[in-house]
Amino acid sequence: MSKDIPMTQSEQADAAADTAPDAKHPRIDPQTVIGWGVDADPENDPTYPMRDRSKDDGPGMNWTPPVAQVADVEILQSVEYLRRPATVGQSTPPSGLSGKIRRAAFAYSESQWGHWLLLMLADRVNFVEGIVDDLGKGTLPNPVAEMGLVKSSNARVAGVATLAVAGLAVFGLVTLLRGRDR
Amino acid sequence: MRAMDYRGPRRVRVVDKPMPKLEHPRDAIVRVTRSCICGSDLHLYHGMVPDTRVGMTFGHEFCGVVEEVGSGVENLKAGDHVLVPFNIACGQCHFCKQGLFGNCHESNAQATAVGGIFGYSHTAGGYDGGQAEYVRVPYADFGPTIIPDWMDPDDAVLLTDVVPTGYQAAEMGGIQKGDTVVVFGAGPVGLLAARSAWLFGAGRVIVIDHVEYRLEFARTYCPAEVYDFREIGDPVVFLKKITDIGPDVCIDAVGADASGNAWHTLFGKKLKLEAGSAVPLHWAINSVKKGGVVSIVGVYGPTGNMVPIGNVVNKGITIRANQASVKRHLPKLIEHVREGRIDPKGIITHRVPLEDVAEAYHLFSSKLDGCIKPVLIPSAA
C-alpha cells in the first residue's frame, strides 16, 4: 500500500489483527491464573438477574412495608410510586429557583424526557445559586481550589491568586474599553 | 463534622456540616474510616446525573465503625467494624426478596428504576454519602456486614462496590469454561470484571481501553490481553478478526464517560442530550458473537442513548445489566479475598486525606499520576 494513502479503519484492524497476539499482547494461559474456574458453573446460564419464582409473592405490593420515616424536609416523589418508600434521604431539600424547577419536573413521570431535562436545567441554575449563596455568607468562590488544581493546604494562596487574576482581567478590560472610547 | 461538599460540575470542597442523626429505627450512624472515589462518582462530578444538588456529600464506597444504632437494629452495636454496601436495601420488598438489592422499592422516593444509593444524587434517593467523617446508614440491620478480623480495611472498602460490581459483570455474562470475554474499560470495575472472568472459567480475557498506564496495569493485575483502541482501527472489526466469530461475552465497564467517538462525545458528554456517551455499549453489541451476551455495569443516566438496538434483535443478543447486588456476593467474595484469589487493595494507587478531596477528584478525573483508585481517609479514622 502506498504510504500516501491512509489505511481505512478495517485495514488498520487487519494490520493490528495480523500481529495479535504477540509479545505486546500475549495470550494468557488460563491454567496459570490463580483461582481459574473456581466459580465455573454450567447452571450459571441463563444467569442472574432472572426471576426466582420460589421467592415471588405474586403481583403488586404484597410485602409488609418497613416503618415509614417521618421526613423533616420537603421530599419530591416520583409520580410512578403508589406510596412513598419507607426511608428517604434528607440531603439538600429543594429551594430557590432551582427548587421551583425541580418541583415542576416531578409533575412528569420518569418516562418523560421533560422530567430529566428540567432536572438538568435545575442543576445548572443550582450551580449559580451556590455561588450567590457563598457570596451572601461572605465566602469568596475559590474555583482553583475547588477544582483540585492545588492542595487544600494551598487553597488560601490559590484564592488570592484567583482574585488577583480576576482583578487584572477586569482592569485590563476596563482599560481596553476606555482606550476604544478615546 | 468534616464532609465533602459538591458545588457544581468539577467543583468540590470539604466543609463543616452537622453531624448526621438517626432518622429511622433501622438507621445507624457510622464513623467512616475509608471512603473511595468511584468511577461513577465522576459522572456526578462532571454534572451528568440529573438532580445532583449543590451542597450534597458524595460517596457510596465506605467502611467504618458503628457509632450509634436505632431501636430496630439488633445485629449491630457501637464499635463494630463494618463495610457498607452501596445499595440502600430494606431486605423485605418484592425486589429484595429476589436478591435485587440494587432495586429496592423502599429506599428511593425520587425514582422507581433504582434503589437508594449513598451520596449519588437525588435520582438515587437524596442520601448524603460517605466522603465524610460520619454518615447515616438506613436499613443498618440488613446492609452492613461486619469486617472479619483478618481483613485489611483497604480490602474491605473495595468490597462495598468495585469488587462486587466487577464480579457481577462477569456473572451476568453467563461465562462458561473456555469462553472469550472482552471487557471494555480498564478502570477499577473493568479490572475486577476481567479478573472475575477467569474465576468463572474464561478461556481468553481481553481488555480494551486507551489509557496506556491502565492497560499496562490490566496486563499484570487481571491478567489480560490488552489493546489500545487507538491502535487497532475499528475495534469491532478487530475483535471479530482475532476471535473469528466475535467474543462470547462483552462487558461494558465504562458507562457515561466513555471516549472513542466524536458523535457520542458531542451529544452525550458536551450537550448532554444523550444519557452519556454509549461508545463501549455500541462496540459491545456490534462485536459480540451472534447469540452472545452483553453485560452492562457501566453507569448511564436515565434518559436515552443512541445504541444499535436493531443489531441486538438481528443478532439474538442477550443483554443483562444491573447495579451490583452487593450483599448477595459478599460471602463468596470475602472467601476469595481470604484465599488470595482476588486482591482488592492491589488497585489502590492513592491514599488521600479527606481534606484534599478536590485534588483527589481532579487526579482521578483527569487520569493523572497513574491514578487507578483513590481512597479518602478522614482525620477521625
Side-chain angles (χ1 to χ4, degrees), chain A residues 3-178:
Chain A
K3 286 183 180 175
D4 298 332
I5 304 172
M7 285 195 292
T8 64
Q9 285 209 320
S10 175
E11 287 164 344
Q12 288 176 33
D14 259 337
D18 284 347
T19 61
D22 58 16
K24 193 178 171 189
H25 311 99
R27 284 282 286 270
I28 311 293
D29 177 0
Q31 303 295 338
T32 66
V33 179
I34 294 169
W36 179 77
V38 293
D39 291 337
D41 177 7
E43 297 296 315
N44 184 36
D45 186 23
T47 182
Y48 176 90
M50 60 184 296
R51 190 170 177 178
D52 181 351
R53 290 175 189 277
S54 70
K55 295 172 183 166
D56 191 336
D57 49 11
M61 298 175 74
N62 287 328
W63 63 90
T64 305
V67 174
Q69 177 184 341
V70 178
D72 301 323
V73 300
E74 179 184 2
I75 303 293
L76 299 177
Q77 184 174 322
S78 168
V79 296
E80 297 181 33
Y81 274 114
L82 300 177
R83 64 163 171 79
R84 178 179 289 175
T87 64
V88 292
Q90 302 203 92
S91 171
T92 53
S95 64
L97 177 60
S98 66
K100 286 185 166 62
I101 300 170
R102 294 190 206 283
R103 290 183 196 105
F106 274 84
Y108 300 97
S109 82
E110 296 161 57
S111 174
Q112 302 292 324
W113 275 54
H115 174 77
W116 301 112
L117 294 179
L118 280 172
L119 288 173
M120 292 294 273
L121 173 64
D123 290 349
R124 300 293 91 83
V125 171
N126 198 194
F127 167 62
V128 178
E129 289 173 332
I131 294 172
V132 173
D133 187 49
D134 268 354
L135 291 172
K137 291 174 181 166
T139 304
L140 285 172
N142 191 348
V144 172
E146 289 173 356
M147 293 173 77
L149 303 177
V150 293
K151 278 187 181 294
S152 61
S153 52
N154 296 328
R156 194 180 297 273
V157 174
V160 172
T162 304
L163 278 175
V165 170
L168 279 174
V170 171
F171 178 74
L173 188 65
V174 169
T175 307
L176 184 69
L177 290 174
R178 280 188 173 176

